[in-house]
Amino acid sequence: MTQAQTLDFAPDFSRALQFFRTQASYAVSPLHQLAGPNSITVLAKDETGRMGLGAFKALGAPYAVARILDAAWQQKTGETLTPARYHDDDVRTFAADFTFVCASAGNHGMGVASGAAAMGAKARIHLAATVPGGFADRLRALGAEVVRSGKVYDESVAAAIADAESSGAVLLADGTWPGYTEIPKWVMEGYCVIAEELRESFEASGQWPTHVFLQAGVGGLAAAMAYMIRLNWARQPELIVVEPEAAACLQASHRAGRPTRADGPESDMGRLDCKEPSIVAWAALEAAGVTYVALSEEEGAAAADAITALGIPTTPSGAAGYAGVLKHPMKAADGEVIRPLIIVSEGRT
């Protein structure tokens, strides 16, 4: 496989849609209209209640768990697993031998733990010291083993990799790096469901956004959204990727022309505080022709307060798209109404 093939992101989004539409907990997340600055109406895709996990990542890791088990089952039996088969006793007995390991700043670990539990598998989540204790409690409630590893996210990632190598567990990361790209592509494939839900809504209403603000940590959500928007949205908006100034690794990569680390202090936008970009996400974002914006800590906090006051309790990470709306100058064609879209990516825990 060539480097270009390794970085290529060409998701089977219809498969992800089929998978989730068979899940009892699945429902299309709400799309709200919020009063934005300068009398602008902001469209807000509300992921704060997604499938009971309170964040968009409920669509990523659980889907990847299913894809991984399907691939292993096919290798063993030659049979492809349909969504209904995952609940059968023989498949759950098979899944019980799997342990999924990851590092998490919070929400990805929730997805891995939930996905593993739903299939009858086990999960072990590595958390840095910076991750709030509430996430650890929620992970344990889902049956996951929680390991505190390192002071910052990067150190918990290294611990999860070492864990998988020594224990034989399956590493289920949402970031990508040379030699590790395929499983995270399945995580991103699950996120494509959000873009398809939005496309169907805008096709029905005709009220397409002029600008889409996409918050990013390693970049998986932003890249999945950007890919899908460029693939099949009838009206093409400007795409703006929003990161903390303390972890603007995708912007740094854009400027360098290659995946590049961006070191900085710890950010209160904790789920976006990733210093290393996903190489697959970065390549997809570059191909989509996005603009990059970096946020101060004060801008992230102000946006969280504003969105919470508008009725969607969230965090600086969840409200980062709105911070982008407040910061990034927006223009529209003559006679066109400026209509930005954000994703409120997580609730306030």
Side-chain angles (χ1 to χ4, degrees):
M1 182 177 291
T2 67
Q3 177 70 3
Q5 289 172 318
T6 300
L7 297 181
D8 182 53
F9 179 59
D12 184 357
F13 61 89
S14 61
R15 179 171 179 167
L17 279 167
Q18 179 187 24
F19 174 79
F20 282 109
R21 285 172 174 167
T22 65
Q23 306 301 305
S25 59
Y26 172 75
V28 175
S29 63
L31 180 63
H32 304 295
Q33 295 190 20
L34 305 180
N38 303 317
S39 301
I40 292 173
T41 297
V42 177
L43 303 172
K45 182 69 163 167
D46 181 1
E47 294 294 306
T48 64
R50 177 68 79 173
M51 298 182 74
L53 293 187
F56 76 97
K57 290 200 172 183
L59 295 171
Y63 177 69
V65 166
R67 289 291 307 260
I68 291 165
L69 291 175
D70 176 47
W73 183 261
Q74 285 189 52
Q75 186 174 31
K76 178 183 178 182
T77 69
E79 176 196 359
T80 298
L81 292 175
T82 63
R85 282 283 281 128
Y86 288 107
H87 304 292
D88 291 344
D89 289 344
D90 58 339
V91 176
R92 292 184 67 81
T93 298
F94 177 74
D97 290 334
F98 285 75
T99 298
F100 294 91
V101 170
C102 75
S104 179
N107 292 320
H108 178 64
M110 293 291 295
V112 172
S114 174
M119 300 296 176
K122 296 178 282 292
R124 186 163 53 251
I125 316 298
H126 291 260
L127 302 180
T130 53
V131 178
F135 276 111
D137 293 339
R138 292 173 67 196
L139 288 165
R140 293 188 185 100
L142 289 169
E145 178 185 355
V146 176
V147 182
R148 287 287 184 175
S149 299
K151 295 180 179 179
V152 295
Y153 178 71
D154 283 359
E155 293 175 1
S156 64
V157 171
I161 294 170
D163 181 341
E165 290 175 346
S166 63
S167 69
V170 178
L171 180 66
L172 205 174
D174 55 353
T176 61
W177 50 85
Y180 184 81
T181 59
E182 294 310 300
I183 288 175
K185 287 179 184 178
W186 290 339
V187 174
M188 293 168 63
E189 192 169 281
Y191 300 157
C192 292
V193 169
I194 299 171
E196 278 296 278
E197 290 177 356
L198 285 165
R199 185 189 62 78
E200 290 175 358
S201 176
F202 297 139
E203 288 281 4
S205 70
Q207 301 297 303
W208 294 89
T210 56
H211 302 74
V212 180
F213 292 83
L214 301 165
Q215 59 265 66
V218 298
L221 171 65
M225 288 292 301
Y227 175 91
M228 294 299 295
I229 289 169
R230 294 300 187 231
L231 176 71
N232 65 7
W233 282 27
R235 295 280 297 278
Q236 286 296 305
E238 180 182 351
L239 302 180
I240 304 97
V241 173
V242 183
E243 302 174 279
E245 290 176 351
C249 58
L250 292 161
Q251 185 177 96
S253 300
H254 172 71
R255 290 173 174 170
R258 65 184 187 282
T260 300
R261 183 179 175 85
D263 286 310
E266 179 186 344
S267 173
D268 287 338
M269 288 169 269
R271 261 62 67 208
L272 309 182
D273 191 15
C274 303
K275 314 301 188 186
E276 294 272 3
S278 160
I279 60 174
V280 170
W282 171 74
L285 289 169
E286 290 295 291
V290 304
T291 300
Y292 295 92
V293 171
L295 303 176
S296 70
E297 297 301 294
E298 294 76 16
E299 288 166 336
D305 290 342
I307 292 293
T308 299
L310 290 169
I312 309 176
T314 189
T315 66
S317 298
Y322 189 72
V325 170
L326 298 176
K327 184 169 187 174
H328 180 71
M330 292 182 288
K331 297 180 181 180
D334 291 344
E336 187 176 28
V337 175
I338 293 175
R339 190 179 294 111
L341 167 68
I342 65 171
I343 299 174
V344 185
S345 58
E346 66 174 5
R348 178 171 286 178
T349 57

